[in-house]
DNA sequence: GTTAGTTATAGGTGTTTATCTATGGGTTAC
DNA sequence: GTAACCCATAGATAAACACCTATAACTAAC
């Protein structure tokens, strides 16, 4: 039996012949001519090396080998139907994987969207990668993930990005800090204090430092710390003051004080970023659609800046990835 | 998803790529060139309408859709392997159907062969048809069965036949018959008695009547009866005398007497007959082979005339039956 | 920076295919 | 015996396929 050159079309034709018990009838149903069907069956028989149909008493008769092949075909087509169902789910975004890499700070925000999404589509795998800006940029370079989350979008080629959330920065000081109860302070007032900063390259730090530079200000003292959490706790315990994303600060957290800095309103935005040259999984596409429709619902409405519609010129790309 | 033009070869190639994780390696293994494999995969992806493989970090990576397709293919090939096993059994004659039609008298003989054969190949279906000569000839005409058993072979076109057993006819009389204890009788001595005969067309009767005709003898009285059994019982109960196949008479049956007719040794042979224009099932072929090898073992050796080797120019014919 | 290894693409070729139309032989039904 | 079916075969054609070679582009390793 040599199936190499047997196509599924051929099996379809064969099955129809078995079902109708007639070559002519099959031809009519499949909009073919009778000789075509005759020939197809002949080819199939040659491939199988066994008679499948024969004529007895002027009637088409299915041999044992033919009947068994018919059953086999039923099974096979069943499997492909299952596969088609799988594809449908995949296309509907109900299944698959959406790999997301985000910078540290985003972990205060994104889970609010991921939670509801994951509940809606429990079969979608959502592996998350969290790293500092440099690490996430690396992953982007290598195209390891479907979606990247940055504040301060990287202006790389092959990148497309869209905002979804405002990202205001706040100055925080310990409760017992001299400025803690001052109603309005200026940026220059802060320069004399020790600043606790994230590592170089962090979007928050970049934003802050570029503001300082543009105003010709210089910090008198700074300490580098690896995480927002560490900085928040360090500030609360009096180690210094800091600039942190509003989203990092719980509303009811009274272990520090937020300053009202009247002459500096630092802010960036949170972006979903994707490579334009990579295939975008259905799950990823679907998650973005979900985000577009539900950011207002699941994130603080006052900060939402939903520009995700900009992304939806994503179309399915097949394998020719390198183009 | 449009599988119509997808051949099994294509799926094979795809599976190899998934297994090796490399297009080039697959090309080497399947003795193809790398572009060929590349192109095949591309075609398959177009047919499925979904990316199956993509390149991540310079490595070929199977997508969810690809992996699922791979699993589907495994299943599908599994089914076809099962089917191939089935065909193998079929070809070995271990499975299938061998439809046999025989004339009444043969039912005293054939079961002795069919029993052992059926025990050897329990999966072979052996539907038997039993009828008088005219009925079996009809079946032959319509090609309803694989094998026919006749004494006195029909000289039809599209028929091939081979002997396997001698079929001597015996004259039997009731125990209290005047000739019952006569050592040697002549055929003419019998003409005055009432003969119990099978229906017209029966091989036994044909043989007997042609013998009478050639000798210019005429029966004085005869009664027609439908079965050998009926005749045997009727003879035993004194209703008349009869000519019957030796094989119909049990060796230890003492309810009648076999005459020693010195001037008439009527005999024919038992034949397996087949149509030459019909496909011969593997099971039928196999049964004939079995018969050829085992007639001596299962039938009375003294009567065996094994000429079945004459049949074994049977070769497999595909559907073009009408030729 | 050269080499050896990927994969994709372009272009070419002989073969196979999926079809068709036309025809012939056979059967069934009237 | 004619009409209306059935199926098989022959012959033709355009498309698709299965391959190839040659080449380009990219990466990893030396």
């Amino acid at each position: 039996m040599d199936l190499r050159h047997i196509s599924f079309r051929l099996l379809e034709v064969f099955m129809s012949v078995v079902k109708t018990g007639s070559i002519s009838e099959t031809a009519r149903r499949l909009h073919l001519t009778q000789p075509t069907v005759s020939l197809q069956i002949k080819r199939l028989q040659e491939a199988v090396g066994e008679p499948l149909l024969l004529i007895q008493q002027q009637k088409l008769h299915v041999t044992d080998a033919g009947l068994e092949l018919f059953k086999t075909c039923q099974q096979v087509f069943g499997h492909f139907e299952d596969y088609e169902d799988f594809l449908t789910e995949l296309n509907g975004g109900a299944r698959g994987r959406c790999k997301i890499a985000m910078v540290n700070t985003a972990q205060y925000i994104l889970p609010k969207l991921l939670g509801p999404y994951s509940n809606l589509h429990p079969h979608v795998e959502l592996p998350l990668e969290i790293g500092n800006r440099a690490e996430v940029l690396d992953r982007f370079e290598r195209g390891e993930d479907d979606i990247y989350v940055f504040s301060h979008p990287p202006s790389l080629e092959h990148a497309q990005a869209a905002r979804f959330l405002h990202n205001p920065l706040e100055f925080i000081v310990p409760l017992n800090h001299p400025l803690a109860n001052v109603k309005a302070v200026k940026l220059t007032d802060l320069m004399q204090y020790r600043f606790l900063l994230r590592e170089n390259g962090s979007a928050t730090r970049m934003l802050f430092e570029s503001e300082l530079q543009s105003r010709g200000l210089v910090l008198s003292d700074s300490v580098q710390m690896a995480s927002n959490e560490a900085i928040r706790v360090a500030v609360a315990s009096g180690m210094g003051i800091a600039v942190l994303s509003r989203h990092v600060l719980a509303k009811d957290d009274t272990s520090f004080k937020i300053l009202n800095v009247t002459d500096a309103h630092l802010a960036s935005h949170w972006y979903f970023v994707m490579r334009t040259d990579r295939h975008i999984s259905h799950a990823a596409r679907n998650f973005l659609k979900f985000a577009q429709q539900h950011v207002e619902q699941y994130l603080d409405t006052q900060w939402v800046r939903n520009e995700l519609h900009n992304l939806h010129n994503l179309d399915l790309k097949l394998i020719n990835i390198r183009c």
Side-chain angles (χ1 to χ4, degrees), chain A:
Chain A
M1 187 171 69
D2 180 17
L3 290 182
R4 289 154 179 260
H5 298 290
I6 295 308
S7 66
F8 285 85
R9 171 61 164 175
L10 211 49
L11 298 183
E12 251 174 46
V13 171
F14 169 68
M15 287 183 77
S16 171
V17 172
V18 172
K19 276 189 245 171
T20 62
S22 155
I23 290 183
S24 301
E25 179 56 25
T26 293
R28 262 174 255 123
R29 289 201 192 180
L30 303 185
H31 306 291
L32 297 171
T33 60
Q34 168 266 315
T36 300
V37 178
S38 249
L39 222 62
Q40 305 270 45
I41 297 295
K42 200 174 173 185
R43 273 214 313 131
L44 184 58
Q45 283 185 127
E46 272 159 17
V48 173
E50 203 62 41
L52 303 172
L53 300 170
L54 34 84
I55 295 175
Q56 277 184 345
Q57 303 151 245
Q58 285 66 253
K59 268 192 64 187
L60 223 51
H61 197 263
V62 185
T63 65
D64 288 354
L67 187 62
E68 194 70 16
L69 180 59
F70 180 77
K71 287 184 199 159
T72 301
C73 290
Q74 281 183 320
Q75 302 261 25
V76 165
F77 280 102
H79 282 297
F80 275 99
E81 273 164 33
D82 287 350
Y83 180 61
E84 206 148 14
D85 289 347
F86 174 89
L87 286 185
T88 307
E89 274 195 353
L90 200 72
N91 282 298
R95 193 176 282 276
R97 193 193 350 269
C98 172
K99 218 167 158 186
I100 302 179
M102 61 186 79
V103 295
N104 281 292
T105 313
Q107 66 189 299
Y108 294 92
I109 300 158
L110 220 64
K112 294 178 187 173
L113 275 174
L114 292 174
Y117 178 74
S118 186
N119 287 334
L120 195 62
H121 297 303
H123 292 298
V124 174
E125 287 175 66
L126 283 172
L128 301 185
E129 291 290 336
I130 297 169
N132 63 36
R133 188 178 164 84
E135 287 163 352
V136 177
L137 275 174
D138 263 13
R139 296 186 69 87
F140 180 91
E141 269 316 307
R142 275 173 279 131
E144 290 188 41
D145 312 272
D146 294 289
I147 300 175
Y148 304 85
V149 184
F150 290 101
S151 70
H152 204 83
S155 56
L156 300 163
E157 56 171 355
H158 304 311
Q160 66 170 331
R163 304 173 174 187
F164 64 97
L165 195 69
H166 193 58
N167 185 35
L169 302 186
E170 302 285 0
F171 293 86
I172 60 170
V173 298
L175 293 177
N176 60 356
H177 193 272
L179 299 176
N181 295 310
V182 177
K183 270 195 182 155
V185 301
K186 301 223 175 239
L187 193 54
T188 50
D189 301 339
L190 305 174
M191 290 302 104
Q192 58 181 300
Y193 301 107
R194 171 191 287 165
F195 262 84
L196 308 185
L197 298 176
R198 287 284 304 283
E199 72 281 357
N200 223 321
S202 138
T204 306
R205 177 164 173 178
M206 279 165 65
L207 201 60
F208 180 47
E209 286 183 337
S210 87
E211 177 73 12
L212 293 182
Q213 196 171 17
S214 72
R215 300 237 213 144
L217 298 175
V218 179
L219 293 180
S220 59
D221 184 12
S222 71
V223 172
Q224 186 167 315
M225 306 193 83
S227 84
N228 296 318
E229 282 301 300
I231 290 175
R232 191 165 54 82
V233 174
V235 168
S237 56
M239 195 176 158
I241 68 176
V243 196
L244 281 183
S245 164
R246 188 77 173 79
H247 302 291
V248 174
L249 311 171
K251 277 175 182 162
D252 53 356
D253 190 340
T254 54
S255 63
F256 52 81
K257 194 80 192 199
I258 297 178
L259 296 182
N260 174 24
V261 179
T262 54
D263 63 344
H265 295 285
L266 298 179
S268 66
H269 286 88
W270 286 105
Y271 291 79
F272 285 124
V273 183
M274 267 152 300
R275 294 191 65 101
T276 51
D277 58 350
R278 188 184 190 279
H279 170 73
I280 294 147
S281 77
H282 293 288
R285 197 188 313 279
N286 196 248
F287 170 72
L288 289 171
K289 212 155 100 191
F290 174 87
Q292 186 187 10
Q293 290 165 352
H294 298 287
V295 269
E296 285 85 359
Q297 182 178 351
Y298 296 115
L299 300 182
D300 255 6
T301 321
Q302 56 176 322
W303 307 122
V304 169
R305 298 290 184 277
N306 188 347
E307 295 177 8
L308 294 180
H309 50 90
N310 292 334
L311 286 177
H312 277 282
N313 50 350
L314 315 165
D315 50 304
L316 197 136
K317 279 185 192 169
L318 290 186
I319 202 184
N320 43 338
I321 297 303
R322 289 237 186 95
C323 63

